[in-house]
Structure formats: structure tokens, C-alpha cells
Amino acid sequence: MNPRWAIREASLRFCHKAGKSALPHSIGLLMKIKFSPVSLPRSGPLVLFAATGGKLSGLAAKVNEKSDGYVANAIKAAKFEANREQTMDLLVPSNGQLRRMVVAGLGDPAKLQPRDLEYVGGTVCGALQSGKITDAVILADFSGLNAISDGEAAALVAAGMRLRQYQFSRYKSPKSDDKTAVKAATVLTSDTASAQRLYHKFEAVAEGVHLARDLVNEPANVLTPAEFAKRVGEVSKLGVKVDVLRPKDMKKLGMGALLGVAQGSTNEPRLVVMQWMGGNRSERPIAFVGKGVTFDTGGISMKPASGMEDMKGDMGGAACVSGLLRALAARKAKVNAVGIIGLVENMPSGAAQRPGDVVRSMSGKTIAVLNTDAEGRLILADALWYAQKRFKPKVIIDLATLTGAILIALGKEHAGLFSNNDELAGRISQAGVDTGERVWRMPLAAEYDRLIDSDIADVKNIGGRNAGAITAAQFLQRFVNDTPWAHLDVAGTAMDSNRTPINQSWGSGWGVRLLNKLVADHYET
């Protein structure tokens, strides 16, 4: 090992210790889900599914018969079309115990994709919560599915429920686990073994998403860089090796760009390095790098007061990387993966970085800081260089709530994708389609790159009013060598993102499912 990297031995390292996990609490982690063989339920509440037009089939049709046709009559009377994301709550007049049912729409089963079944599960969970149903039987007896097995379908529905149930209520008074939360669900399926095996992996990903959501939702007075690093260190209990670099370590490595952003805050920065080595020993890792500004005032180039409270979420990229490494470890992914997150506060003070300052990055390149609110790219410049020099990854992907410009361009429907490699860009795009965490590729070109040339330094940190998201990506590319690289600008998707059937939280956990899918499809051995 290069002696330069021996600095990490002097840094704070987290090791596995027995005892109760201190991972952030979220309601979503409390739901108990089990899978049982398909049989005609004797009691409820019961969730059953209907296809387009309210068509009931299989055991759902038998349940209808048991209720003397009440379910079908109710569907007809309500003109329930059974489209996806539609539900109908029924109180069934019966001498038996099946007195409460929820009918959920599937749409056309032949057109269902795996992500659609997750959304169906999320919709079901939402309906149960609205109906204050805390324990239910889910009749996952589907027919007409295209290339999705019964066990996978049941596991996907359960995973969607797990994702939807998340709530962040830690600071609400009186403290409560929320009486409307679904505590338990029994999913009936013809293939319980397959469902349980697949759900174990889906659950690991859901818990990674929940971790990312918890981190984004936390207020900045609680989640300082040091506290963020402490919480991420808990993933060591799953076998992830976690090292934390402090300011003195970063100074020795020459990380002037990252340290420059942090110098205005009384809360010291951290660089957290997570390693999950589940693949072949000789295999070069895939590296994920995240921007982690735990609060961003803009520094001396201060932001307007309106909406500044949202800047507690300016660490959405780091949250995603943390959740992803947790997910990979929990599901024992056969891949070598490294997660690197730069954690700072960007604050104004007498010690703060000034517009016009010049800093030297770890790469040796000098940067003219013309706007202290363009700080994320400075953090990533050093983190990207560190990732390449220390780990020599075969692929490197960074995530950052980097620019308001990407929000103007793409809204909250897509994250911006920039890449120097067409194959990698295509793989990420397809993973986005498969998971519903969609991306849109944006251009990189020499004409844009010239906009960040500086008169007094190697590069300046802003390129002007036009093409702001692109020039930010061009800046990052200057700190990437020939390694296949992709940059995801998640300013519109990581926080205050659109609510979906599987997410009702301000912090979305966006990117964990996308990148887990990418790893599973292309990088596991």
C-alpha cells in the first residue's frame, strides 16, 4: 500500500461490536411481513386484487362467492375500474369473519412490470393506513402476469408496502409509532420459498432507502458532519469497513478544495470511506461518491432566506451512497463496492472562504472560487480524485444535489445524467426505467468546458448564467481521468421530490434502488 494512504490508520475506524444497532429509527423498519400458502382466508381484513374492469379471478373470485357476490356487486355499483393505484374499501355484511376488505386495482396484468407491482404494494399500504388497518392478509394470487413468477410478484408487493410505510415522526409530540401504521401483513402466495428468498433482498434495499430518507429528513442542528459519519459507521455491523478522515488527515492529503468549503463552520468536516468487498478479491471495485453538505447557507455568497431551510437536504447524494452500501451489504451482494462521502457545513463567518479565493485541490489543480455557493463541486473534486487514486475503480459514479439549474431543466421527474462513457450511461438509464427512478442524459462538450477556464487558476468553479448544470458537470470531469464515470445531479429528486405510491416522505431516498439495480444487473460476479 502506498504510505500516503496509511493516514487512514490514524483516523477513526468503526469496527463491528455486539449490541443494539444505533441506526436511525424509521416507522418503515417495524412492519412484520410473512408469506403463507394460498388458501381461502377465514378472517380479515383481507386485500384482494382486481384486473381492468373490476375482473376477479382465482381465489379472489372464490372470496366473492363466499360473500354471496357482494364484492363483484360493490365493484359494479361503484364503477370501480381497477386501474393501478386505485383501491376500494369494503365493509362486507356477512355472518363470517371476512367483514373488511380492500380491493386494489392491477390494471392489465399482462402489462405489469416489476416496478408496477412495487407501486401496487405501496398503494395497498396507503389504503390500509387510510383505513386504520394495522394487520392484514394480502391475497397475492395473480393470473395473467407476463414473465413475473408468483413468488416474485408476492415479494414485490411486499417490498412496495415496506417502502411506502416509512414515516419520519421522531420530532413530533407526543411521540408515537403512529396508530395508523401497518404493523404486520401476511402475504398469501403459491410459492412461499421463492417469495421469502426474493423478499430478503428487496427488504435489504428498502432498509437502505429508509436510511437515506432518515439522513435527508434530519434537521441540520442534529445531523452535523460528525454525527452523519457516526451514523454511517453503524453499517460496519453488516460487514462494511468504514474509515473516517478528519481535517488533519485531509490536510495531509492536500484536499484544499473540500477544506476550503468547510472552513467557515465550527462543525468540522469528515470524509467517510465505506468498503463492501463481496466480490472476487482481484476485482477492481465500483466507486460511488456523494456530496454531503449537511447545511448550505451558500457561505459568503449567501442564499436568499426563503426556502433556505430545505438546505438541510443538500447531502442527498451522500445519503444515497450510504443507503446503497447498507443495501449491498445486507443482501450480501457479490460485488466490490466503495462509497466515499464528503461531509461539510457551508457557513458564513470571519473564517469563511471568500469569492475570489484560490484553492489547491488534491489533484494539484488550482480552483478560483468565484461563488462560494457553488461548493458541492469543490467537495466532489477532492472526493473523486481520492477515489481514483486510492482504489483505482473500474467505474465511478457520483451523486449530488448540485444545481438548481437541473431542477429548472428537468423538474422533479428525472435526475440529470452526465457521463464520459456511453455504455455506462445506457446501463444507468435502463436501471432508471426498471426502477422508476428515471434519469435524462445531458450533454458534455468542449464548448461548455471552455466556460470554466480561469484567468488566474486552472479552473473556476462557475461558468456563468447559462448551462449551469452542464458547466458544473464539466468541472467535475476535470477531476476524472479515463475511468468510466457518471455524474447524477439529484437536486430535483433527492429532497422534496414528487410523492409516489412507494414514497410519501420529504426525503425520498432516491438513487438507492436505481444503483442497486445497476449493480445487480451488471457488476455482480
Side-chain angles (χ1 to χ4, degrees), residues 258-384:
L258 188 155
L259 290 171
V261 177
Q263 71 189 41
S265 175
T266 57
N267 288 305
E268 289 185 344
R270 297 288 187 269
L271 187 84
V272 181
V273 183
M274 296 167 275
Q275 298 179 62
W276 168 253
M277 298 299 170
N280 296 328
R281 239 178 126 179
S282 60
E283 191 77 14
R284 291 161 60 201
I286 178 170
F288 301 95
V289 177
K291 169 190 171 184
V293 181
T294 59
F295 194 77
D296 181 21
T297 66
I300 298 300
S301 306
M302 189 173 288
K303 296 175 181 292
S306 178
M308 192 192 288
E309 67 275 8
D310 286 351
M311 289 301 97
K312 70 173 188 175
D314 204 18
M315 29 58 68
C320 171
V321 172
S322 304
L324 174 65
L325 267 291
R326 189 194 196 287
L328 295 177
R331 71 174 183 83
K332 306 294 186 213
K334 295 180 179 180
V335 67
N336 294 335
V338 174
I340 297 171
I341 55 176
L343 305 173
V344 309
E345 267 193 341
N346 187 21
M347 300 289 282
S349 75
Q353 187 167 252
R354 295 153 292 234
D357 284 0
V358 175
V359 297
R360 187 174 297 276
S361 68
M362 183 181 172
S363 71
K365 292 185 176 73
T366 55
I367 304 167
V369 181
L370 303 190
N371 188 318
T372 64
D373 195 24
E375 84 296 332
R377 63 202 72 181
L378 301 176
I379 297 163
L380 290 174
D382 281 341
L384 286 167

Side-chain angles (χ1 to χ4, degrees), residues 70-225:
Y70 180 81
V71 178
N73 290 334
I75 288 174
K76 184 177 180 180
K79 298 181 180 179
F80 182 68
E81 293 298 323
N83 297 321
R84 288 200 296 275
E85 301 184 32
Q86 283 188 327
T87 61
M88 184 171 63
D89 196 350
L90 299 179
L91 298 175
V92 184
S94 170
N95 292 328
Q97 294 181 336
L98 282 174
R99 296 183 179 180
R100 185 79 180 270
M101 298 185 195
V102 174
V103 183
L106 286 176
D108 184 352
K111 295 181 180 179
L112 285 173
Q113 300 296 316
R115 70 173 184 277
D116 298 323
L117 284 169
E118 283 186 316
Y119 275 41
V120 166
T123 299
V124 165
C125 186
L128 295 176
Q129 288 175 331
S130 297
K132 298 182 180 180
I133 300 172
T134 60
D135 190 345
V137 176
I138 316 296
L139 183 52
D141 179 32
F142 304 112
S143 61
L145 294 179
N146 182 23
I148 302 176
S149 68
D150 290 347
E152 182 181 10
L156 286 165
V157 168
M161 294 182 67
R162 186 73 144 186
L163 287 164
R164 170 62 179 263
Q165 201 222 11
Y166 174 92
Q167 296 177 42
F168 189 81
S169 56
R170 184 178 314 162
Y171 299 105
K172 291 185 177 181
S173 182
K175 189 173 181 180
S176 169
D177 283 341
D178 190 344
K179 295 179 181 180
T180 66
V182 182
K183 300 296 192 302
T186 301
V187 183
L188 306 183
T189 175
S190 62
D191 190 351
T192 57
S194 178
Q196 185 60 59
R197 176 177 54 82
L198 290 169
Y199 179 68
H200 175 72
K201 294 183 178 182
F202 296 155
E203 182 182 37
V205 177
E207 291 180 359
V209 173
H210 291 158
L211 172 59
R213 289 175 179 173
D214 274 341
L215 292 168
V216 174
N217 283 327
E218 279 285 4
N221 63 316
V222 174
L223 197 72
T224 61

